[in-house]
Amino acid sequence: MFKQLTSYLSALAFAVLLAACAAPGQQPGEMEIRSGVIEQISFVDLQSNQHQGVGAVVGGLAGLGIGSLIGGGSGRDVAMVLGTIGGAIAGNQIQKRYDKPVQGQQIIVRTSYGVLVSVTQPTNQALFQGQRVFIEGSGENARVVPR
């Protein structure tokens, strides 16, 4: 009983020690917000949000399924291989039709501390040069929004 109590207390002390050593900063779900004025807006093309290769994978699986319905024995195996290859090529070509760049903006904001911050995001028509804005988040998730 004493050993069990000691082990529970040791585990609790270890957990408290780890929590105390955790790096201070944002908690999960919190977002950093900075403010500033837009210095410059440049229009850029952003990569589409389509995932590369999905069309080929889906087409290949569809071709495999269709090929498995044809024939039997080694002829069926050949039909499955050809269906997979043909489906992958067709799926890739179909995806290329829809994989167009998206219009975006590169926005340069001078923060209230005098630091220049560049954020690239999808186009927001409500933003203009000289406007007071907030920069929400950081890194790839940063967004510029009107104040």
Side-chain angles (χ1 to χ4, degrees):
M1 161 104 166
F2 181 72
K3 272 186 159 180
Q4 189 177 15
L5 181 61
T6 305
S7 67
Y8 285 134
L9 289 176
S10 297
L12 179 63
F14 183 71
V16 169
L17 180 65
L18 281 179
C21 292
Q26 293 181 342
Q27 297 296 319
E30 289 183 355
M31 183 184 324
E32 178 183 358
I33 299 178
R34 295 168 281 177
S35 63
V37 176
I38 295 178
E39 294 267 324
Q40 178 182 345
I41 297 178
S42 304
F43 292 99
V44 296
D45 286 335
L46 303 174
Q47 290 182 345
S48 79
N49 56 3
Q50 301 282 334
H51 297 292
Q52 292 291 74
V54 172
V57 171
V58 171
L61 290 174
L64 176 66
I66 292 170
S68 69
L69 300 175
I70 297 171
S74 62
R76 181 178 181 196
D77 293 342
V78 170
M80 289 171 60
V81 169
L82 292 176
T84 301
I85 293 170
I89 292 170
N92 189 38
Q93 293 302 317
I94 291 170
Q95 182 179 4
K96 283 182 182 179
R97 272 193 242 158
Y98 297 103
D99 197 19
K100 304 286 185 220
V102 177
Q103 181 79 23
Q105 297 171 309
Q106 180 183 28
I107 305 164
I108 305 215
V109 177
R110 183 171 301 277
T111 66
S112 53
Y113 298 110
V115 177
L116 290 175
V117 177
S118 174
V119 176
T120 303
Q121 67 184 38
T123 300
N124 182 343
Q125 297 296 333
L127 298 175
F128 55 88
Q129 191 171 346
Q131 182 179 20
R132 298 175 75 67
V133 293
F134 290 119
I135 304 171
E136 297 179 343
S138 61
E140 291 184 13
N141 297 323
R143 293 290 173 255
V144 175
V145 295
R147 257 208 220 178

